[in-house]
Structures are given as structure tokens and as C-alpha cells.
Amino acid sequence: SQHALSQGLPLFREVPHQLLTSLLADHRPFEAAADHPLIVQGDWSDSVFLLLNGLAKVRRFSFSGQEVTVALLGPGDLFGE
């Protein structure tokens, strides 16, 4: 809920209720299965993701083609921007 976001995540604590309502008007919550890619390196995206719970790995491919985890994201983190 919007109230939970504004209270639980530092990013939204100081955002006025009316602005938060506007920002979240088009949000589409979803659950992703473990190891299911949300965004693939190099693909174009028009979305920003806000992780509400769980963890997400940010992985890239090295020049040699090896997959490397470069970050671990948790609740409150944004990605895909």
C-alpha cells in the first residue's frame, strides 16, 4: 500500500501523500520467481523497479563471457532506471 511505502522505505518518507499517490498511480506490482531475469543487460526498458521484499542480484557478463554478480539489492532499492 502507499502508506506502507511512505512509512517503510526511506526513499518515500518525506514525499507528500498527494505526490506519492500520483507517482504510484500506474504501478503494477508483481512477484518474480527465483532466478527469473527482470531486465537483461543491453535491453531497452521503460520501467523502474522498486524491490519491496526479497533480494535481487545484479549480474553482468564480463568481456570473457562469464556472468558476474556486481550487486545484491534488497527492500527499498530501485533498479532498471
Side-chain angles (χ1 to χ4, degrees), residues 20-62:
L20 185 60
T21 299
S22 177
L23 288 171
L24 298 176
D26 292 328
H27 81 284
R28 295 180 305 266
F30 72 97
E31 253 180 69
D35 289 324
H36 174 69
L38 300 173
I39 301 174
V40 177
Q41 180 180 344
D43 283 357
W44 185 84
S45 174
D46 63 353
S47 298
V48 173
F49 295 88
L50 170 63
L51 192 59
L52 294 178
N53 51 44
L55 299 173
K57 291 180 185 176
V58 177
R59 299 184 230 176
R60 358 182 26 138
F61 289 98
S62 68

